[in-house]
Amino acid sequence: MSVSSARKAKRARREWGDSPLFRTITPTLAVVLAVAAWQVATKVGNIAPTVLPSPTRVAEAAWTDREALWQNTVPTLQVTVVGLVVSVVVSAILATLLSFVPLLRNATLPLLIVAQSIPIIVLAPLFVIWFGFGLGPKIGLIVITTALPMTISLLQGFLSADPDAATLMKSLGANRVKVFLRLQVPSSLPYFFTGLRVVASFAVLAAIFAETVGAVNGLGIYMATQKNMLRTDLVLAAAVISIAVSLLLFSLTYLLETLAMPWERRRKAMRSE
């Protein structure tokens, strides 16, 4: 095989490995194998359904109770999305302030880390006592859970901007705000979307945990109710739906990244050529 043919083959393998089809098939196959192993284990091991129901039993229970599952999924999805949006706004404001004022950054970051280290299992009951069973406490818990990682990601992105480019812009008359908007904000976008992907699943978990402590409806209160009734199959069905919601939000971050950073897609296309 010639050198050019070997390079073409290597490029084809790399393109196939980076293709969306390959990245979809691989985890899907892994999930199918895991579910098949689960099904076999429950049948061969003769495990009681209240301990570990089979995937088919979970699917049947989910279909039978589909209306209740849907009615409880919608509130959880709504509070998660609203909480993430509020968290993004809070993180953007905090990261911007910290990037502009180094003294504030040095004084505030340790306090934010301390706030993040408080267990959500402690905060959730307190939020219900202080603010009731409405939407506010759930959004507050999501913000506390997700704002710090996104703030740190954004701040790192702001500070990663090329200092030589900033110096050049200032020499051409750009002020601090223009340098921030035209250089630091675009430089921070990859860091922002990485942080957003990390916290997407955290937001769903925070919303569900808040619902278990105090809520009228939602996947959290649904799972708590079914657990008390020993309906392990419906608990697992709700857990699968929560995983699906997390995966949906995770996937949407890639769509948002593509829309917000079209130059990154062109750069990757040029690099693969």
Side-chain angles (χ1 to χ4, degrees):
M1 181 181 295
S2 63
V3 175
S4 60
S5 299
R7 289 178 178 175
K8 290 180 180 179
K10 184 178 180 180
R11 181 184 303 173
R13 288 194 298 270
R14 185 174 65 249
E15 290 177 354
W16 167 244
D18 294 335
S19 65
L21 180 61
F22 178 81
R23 287 183 292 181
T24 302
I25 291 176
T26 305
T28 301
L29 181 60
V31 170
V32 170
L33 292 176
V35 171
W38 175 9
Q39 179 73 25
V40 171
T42 55
K43 296 300 181 182
V44 175
N46 197 23
I47 303 174
T50 54
V51 177
L52 182 64
S54 65
T56 54
R57 187 183 181 93
V58 172
E60 291 172 359
W63 178 254
T64 302
D65 209 33
R66 60 188 180 278
E67 291 185 5
L69 282 168
W70 173 251
Q71 292 171 359
N72 286 279
T73 299
V74 172
T76 301
L77 181 59
Q78 289 176 340
V79 72
T80 301
V81 172
V82 173
L84 273 177
V85 171
V86 174
S87 183
V88 167
V89 174
V90 171
S91 301
I93 294 173
L94 282 176
T96 301
L97 289 175
L98 296 179
S99 68
F100 272 82
V101 187
L103 181 61
L104 182 63
R105 179 167 68 245
N106 296 331
T108 306
L109 274 180
L111 297 178
L112 292 175
I113 294 173
V114 169
Q116 181 72 18
S117 65
I118 301 175
I120 191 173
I121 195 172
V122 174
L123 291 176
L126 292 176
F127 271 47
V128 171
I129 294 172
W130 293 338
F131 307 111
F133 295 92
L135 194 65
K138 302 178 186 64
I139 293 176
L141 285 172
I142 293 173
V143 171
I144 289 176
T145 305
T146 60
L148 178 62
M150 279 197 293
T151 299
I152 293 177
S153 297
L154 268 173
L155 181 61
Q156 185 178 1
F158 291 152
L159 300 179
S160 69
D162 188 355
D164 294 334
T167 302
L168 177 61
M169 291 179 67
K170 290 177 182 178
S171 67
L172 295 175
N175 57 26
R176 180 71 178 84
V177 175
K178 288 184 178 179
V179 172
F180 176 77
L181 294 176
R182 299 180 181 178
L183 177 63
Q184 290 182 276
V185 170
S187 299
S188 70
L189 289 179
Y191 295 85
F192 166 72
F193 284 108
T194 299
L196 186 61
R197 276 191 281 274
V198 170
V199 303
S201 60
F202 293 168
V204 179
L205 292 175
I208 291 176
F209 188 83
E211 290 169 349
T212 61
V213 176
V216 177
N217 51 22
L219 289 175
I221 193 67
Y222 179 86
M223 284 191 280
T225 302
Q226 300 304 325
K227 179 199 69 174
N228 294 334
M229 298 171 62
L230 297 179
R231 290 300 305 273
T232 311
D233 49 357
L234 289 176
V235 173
L236 290 175
V240 170
I241 293 175
S242 68
I243 293 172
V245 171
S246 298
L247 291 175
L248 174 62
L249 295 176
F250 184 85
S251 302
L252 285 177
T253 61
Y254 283 100
L255 176 61
L256 293 174
E257 184 178 19
T258 301
L259 296 175
M261 301 170 57
W263 62 85
E264 184 68 15
R265 185 174 65 253
R266 292 194 295 267
R267 186 184 65 84
K268 289 180 179 180
M270 293 176 60
R271 187 175 59 183
S272 62
E273 291 179 357

